[in-house]
Amino acid sequence: VQLQASGGGLVQAGDSLRLSCAVSGRTFSIRVLAWFRQGAGKDREFVAAMRWTGTTTYYADTVKGRFTISRDNAKNTAFLQMNSLEPGDTAVYYCAADNGVITSRTREQNAYAYWGQGTLVTVSS
């Protein structure tokens, strides 16, 4: 499975941005796809995740209500719609996927085997 994230850029506080994650390879084996982010000098943290089929989604408290994770199965692409962006959202955003992640580990980066290269989001105040 290969993942490629895109869509990052420089925006102002309050703006919106949509990230994309193109998935290729053995896409039929994916069960969970997630977004993580890592700010400068910070640990990588969980942002959002979803089951590749069905409607179950998970969000970090810091983005709940502002970010929406979604997918287009026909295009094997996942999205992260980010609204009301804040300077604290500045980070490199990574998409990750796995063949099976138990619910209790959905927010753990070590639970994911496949990672994209990351896309930088910079939010100015």
Side-chain angles (χ1 to χ4, degrees), residues 96-110:
D98 200 81
N99 306 122
V101 179
I102 60 176
T103 301
S104 62
R105 298 196 65 203
T106 303
R107 292 169 170 79
E108 298 178 19
Q109 58 177 312
N110 291 335

Side-chain angles (χ1 to χ4, degrees), residues 24-87:
S24 60
R26 296 171 63 88
T27 58
F28 61 87
S29 68
I30 292 175
R31 294 295 178 265
V32 181
L33 187 137
W35 289 93
F36 289 80
R37 67 185 182 186
Q38 186 168 19
K42 299 180 180 179
D43 293 332
R44 190 174 299 183
E45 64 176 1
F46 171 79
V47 176
M50 65 181 176
R51 296 289 164 180
W52 196 242
T53 59
T55 60
T56 303
T57 56
Y58 311 83
Y59 293 95
D61 289 342
T62 53
V63 306
K64 195 175 297 182
R66 299 189 297 123
F67 291 12
T68 302
I69 188 171
S70 63
R71 66 181 185 274
D72 183 335
N73 290 96
K75 297 181 179 180
N76 289 324
T77 302
F79 304 99
L80 184 68
Q81 177 67 42
M82 305 184 295
N83 299 328
S84 303
L85 283 162
E86 304 167 353

